[in-house]
């Protein structure tokens, strides 16, 4: 069985004559670059301001943007060719050992780790960094405070059972959809994976996942995450017809109180605030699970800006990544944790602090095991962050597929173990 990127490794090696592992090409910062982005909502506003500032700093440069709604799906296809922009966000389905075949290294971990967050463990391979995060996120869920208060809930649920009870109260006492999955777009379901590590409070959670043959066993993190999703859908607490969801529309619906909750990274807070009558209507709480009497949240990087190894203008592409990371203020403006360590922390995470949430960063993988969990997931066709396998969970829970939760989890464990055995 093949994932969309299986086979790309060999193909890219044939296509990319310039693809040997070397530092970014020196050269004059000039000429045109194309930057791919998933931010369809601000590409014609905020990003145009970035363009003006960058081009003013580097006269003779031109920045063009391509905003892509189905970013993961479209870019995966384009990566079968050389034509995937000059700067792009590394798709989640790219395995760590594929990074050198598609992207130019930006430096070593040792060179960059004192200046930037999220470079010790994310989009690195053999000690080299292939992308810098556009922003950093804490993990949990965004919610409309007015709706939750109307349902009588003013404190963060501490267990999945309390969370489900809160959703029931919202359904019974308000007119809002308690929990919106954004099923149709797919990728928002991948956001549930952000709870990995937050449930256990273990910085080695991802490394341990790569050593586990049965992650969907009761009590383990994958089971807790996907069981909560299944139970919420099964209980009737999600949108009536998930096949008609709309991401852009959902932001307005949550902001105005027609939706109560979405399981998304903290990057979503500002977008929801912009859709609300008052930014104070929007809250952000940790995943409903405590270990040792504490909530935990994993702080990690979002998508990573990277240079297409086939780019004809790598100097300008690198200048854009450096400027975006160091000078654009994108992360802070969007309510995220800045990749640049010297930047200030955002006020948007105040609700997590109030809930006495412990922030953790995941540990690097042992040498030779970089990206192992994602590699297993891709080989098993259970790509953990793209949301597609969770669409199947939603379908079963709503009765569109004749599978019980136990059957789903048994099948996931079987596929995972088989893929892991092949990759040992």
């Amino acid at each position: 069985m093949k994932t969309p990127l299986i086979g790309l490794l060999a193909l890219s090696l044939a296509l990319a004559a310039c693809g040997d592992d070397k530092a970014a090409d020196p050269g004059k910062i000039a000429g045109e670059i194309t930057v791919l982005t998933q931010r369809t909502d601000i590409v014609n506003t905020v990003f145009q301001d970035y363009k003006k500032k960058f081009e003013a700093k580097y006269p003779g440069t031109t920045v063009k943007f391509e905003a892509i709604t189905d970013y993961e799906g479209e870019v995966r296809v384009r990566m079968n060719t050389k034509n995937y922009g000059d700067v792009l966000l590394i798709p989640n389905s790219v395995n760590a050992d594929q990074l050198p075949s598609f992207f130019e290294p930006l430096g070593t971990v040792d060179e960059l780790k004192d200046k930037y967050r999220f470079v010790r463990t994310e989009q690195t391979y053999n000690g080299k960094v292939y992308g810098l995060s556009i922003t950093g996120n804490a993990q949990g869920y965004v919610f409309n405070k007015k709706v939750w208060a109307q349902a009588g809930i003013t404190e963060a649920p501490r267990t999945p059972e309390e969370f489900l009870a809160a959703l029931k109260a919202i359904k019974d006492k308000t007119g809002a959809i308690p929990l919106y999955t954004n099923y149709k777009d797919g990728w928002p379901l991948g956001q549930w994976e952000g709870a990995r590590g937050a449930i256990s409070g273990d910085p080695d959670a991802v490394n341990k996942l790569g050593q586990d043959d049965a992650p969907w066993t009761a009590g383990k993190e994958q089971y807790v995450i996907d069981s909560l999703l299944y139970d919420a859908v099964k209980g009737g607490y999600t949108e009536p017809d998930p096949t008609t969801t709309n991401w852009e529309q959902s932001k307005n619906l949550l902001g105005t109180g027609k939706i109560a909750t979405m399981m998304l990274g903290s990057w979503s807070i500002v977008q929801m605030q912009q859709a609300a009558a008052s930014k104070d209507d929007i809250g952000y709480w940790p995943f409903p699970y405590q270990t040792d009497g504490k909530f935990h949240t994993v702080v990690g990087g979002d998508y990573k800006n990277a240079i297409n190894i086939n780019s004809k203008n790598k100097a300008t592409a690198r200048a854009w990544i450096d400027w975006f990371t160091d000078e654009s203020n994108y992360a802070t403006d969007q309510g995220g944790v800045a990749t640049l360590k010297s930047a200030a922390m955002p006020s948007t995470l105040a609700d997590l602090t109030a809930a006495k949430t412990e922030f953790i960063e995941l540990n690097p993988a042992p040498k030779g095991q970089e990206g192992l969990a994602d590699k297993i997931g891709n080989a098993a066709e259970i790509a953990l962050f793209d949301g597609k396998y969770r669409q199947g969970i939603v379908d079963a829970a709503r009765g569109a597929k004749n599978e019980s939760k136990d059957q789903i989890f048994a099948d996931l464990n079987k596929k995972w173990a088989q893929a892991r055995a092949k990759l040992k």
Side-chain angles (χ1 to χ4, degrees):
M1 303 181 77
K2 295 184 178 180
T3 64
L5 280 173
I6 299 258
L8 280 178
L9 182 61
L11 178 59
S12 65
L13 288 171
L15 288 172
C18 59
D20 54 320
D21 196 0
K22 58 184 179 180
D25 291 343
K28 186 178 180 182
I29 299 173
E32 182 177 286
I33 58 170
T34 297
V35 178
L36 308 189
T37 176
Q38 91 289 23
R39 293 305 302 271
T40 56
D41 54 335
I42 59 173
V43 69
N44 294 321
T45 53
V46 175
F47 273 54
Q48 295 307 311
D49 185 51
Y50 295 159
K51 168 185 169 71
K52 289 177 185 176
K53 290 178 179 177
F54 179 81
E55 292 175 356
K57 180 172 182 176
Y58 296 106
T61 62
T62 302
V63 181
K64 291 176 59 180
F65 300 108
E66 286 187 38
I68 303 170
T69 301
D70 179 16
Y71 188 86
E72 289 285 329
E74 185 171 329
V75 175
R76 276 200 300 263
V77 173
R78 287 177 64 171
M79 285 175 65
N80 282 287
T81 74
K82 294 182 181 181
N83 179 27
Y84 46 99
D86 296 287
V87 176
L88 69 154
L89 308 171
I90 300 175
N92 289 320
S93 51
V94 175
N95 292 331
D97 59 357
Q98 294 175 318
L99 291 169
S101 300
F102 294 106
F103 306 105
E104 195 74 15
L106 302 180
T108 67
V109 172
D110 286 341
E111 289 168 346
L112 299 176
K113 65 181 174 63
D114 291 334
K115 184 176 182 180
Y116 298 115
R117 295 184 175 95
F118 319 128
V119 297
R120 293 187 311 125
T121 61
E122 303 176 21
Q123 303 300 11
T124 66
Y125 186 68
N126 279 345
K128 294 184 179 179
V129 177
Y130 288 87
L132 290 179
S133 186
I134 59 175
T135 185
N137 298 304
Q139 302 299 326
Y141 55 95
V142 62
F143 66 101
N144 187 295
K145 288 185 175 181
K146 281 187 174 181
V147 174
W148 278 66
Q150 185 181 345
I153 304 109
T154 56
E155 293 185 358
R158 294 166 295 177
T159 66
E161 292 75 21
E162 286 186 7
F163 184 78
L164 291 168
L167 297 185
K168 184 178 187 302
I170 291 167
K171 182 177 181 179
D172 293 343
K173 298 177 183 180
T174 79
I177 296 170
L179 178 68
Y180 200 75
T181 68
N182 259 307
Y183 170 103
K184 186 173 183 292
D185 284 285
W187 65 264
L189 282 167
Q191 294 281 297
W192 287 70
E193 192 65 26
R196 184 177 65 191
I199 294 167
S200 62
D202 185 356
D204 283 313
V206 177
N207 297 331
K208 290 178 179 177
L209 178 60
Q211 303 301 321
D212 193 343
D213 272 337
W216 286 270
T217 300
K220 295 182 180 180
E221 289 192 310
Q222 296 302 133
Y223 182 96
V224 172
I225 294 167
D226 290 335
S227 186
L228 181 57
L229 173 61
Y230 181 96
D231 292 344
V233 177
K234 186 76 171 177
Y237 307 139
T238 55
E239 63 272 9
D241 183 3
T243 64
T244 61
T245 62
N246 182 289
W247 163 245
E248 292 298 338
Q249 185 182 33
S250 74
K251 292 185 282 188
N252 291 322
L253 294 175
L254 189 139
T256 56
K258 295 179 177 64
I259 291 171
T261 320
M262 288 195 277
M263 195 71 67
L264 297 168
S266 62
W267 58 266
S268 63
I269 299 170
V270 169
Q271 295 187 45
M272 304 304 166
Q273 288 176 337
Q274 290 169 345
S278 168
K279 67 179 184 180
D280 294 333
D281 292 347
I282 305 302
Y284 195 80
W285 276 338
F287 190 87
Y289 199 97
Q290 291 191 331
T291 296
D292 297 329
K294 291 181 182 178
F295 289 115
H296 296 83
T297 185
V298 173
V299 181
D302 203 293
Y303 271 124
K304 311 296 187 298
N305 271 326
I307 300 171
N308 179 351
I309 199 167
N310 306 293
S311 171
K312 304 299 184 185
N313 197 349
K314 293 176 183 175
T316 304
R318 178 58 187 267
W320 170 262
I321 291 177
D322 290 343
W323 180 87
F324 189 93
T325 310
D326 297 355
E327 300 181 42
S328 74
N329 211 45
Y330 171 86
T332 303
D333 289 346
Q334 296 300 314
V337 178
T339 302
L340 188 67
K341 285 187 173 182
S342 60
M345 291 290 283
S347 61
T348 47
L349 301 183
D351 287 329
L352 291 177
T353 303
K356 299 181 179 178
T357 308
E358 184 174 319
F359 291 68
I360 61 173
E361 287 192 50
L362 298 176
N363 289 332
K367 186 172 177 58
Q369 296 181 23
E370 298 88 349
L372 179 58
D374 290 330
K375 194 180 299 184
I376 295 168
N378 290 340
E381 294 190 338
I382 312 171
L384 297 170
F385 281 98
D386 76 1
K388 285 183 173 56
Y389 90 86
R390 289 193 174 94
Q391 287 176 326
I393 292 174
V394 172
D395 286 339
R398 68 189 180 95
K401 286 174 60 178
N402 187 25
E403 275 187 298
S404 68
K405 183 166 67 173
D406 288 344
Q407 288 173 326
I408 293 169
F409 290 172
D411 184 56
L412 288 169
N413 279 332
K414 180 180 178 181
K415 289 179 178 178
W416 185 272
Q418 289 174 342
R420 183 171 175 270
K422 292 177 182 177
L423 290 169
K424 282 182 180 177

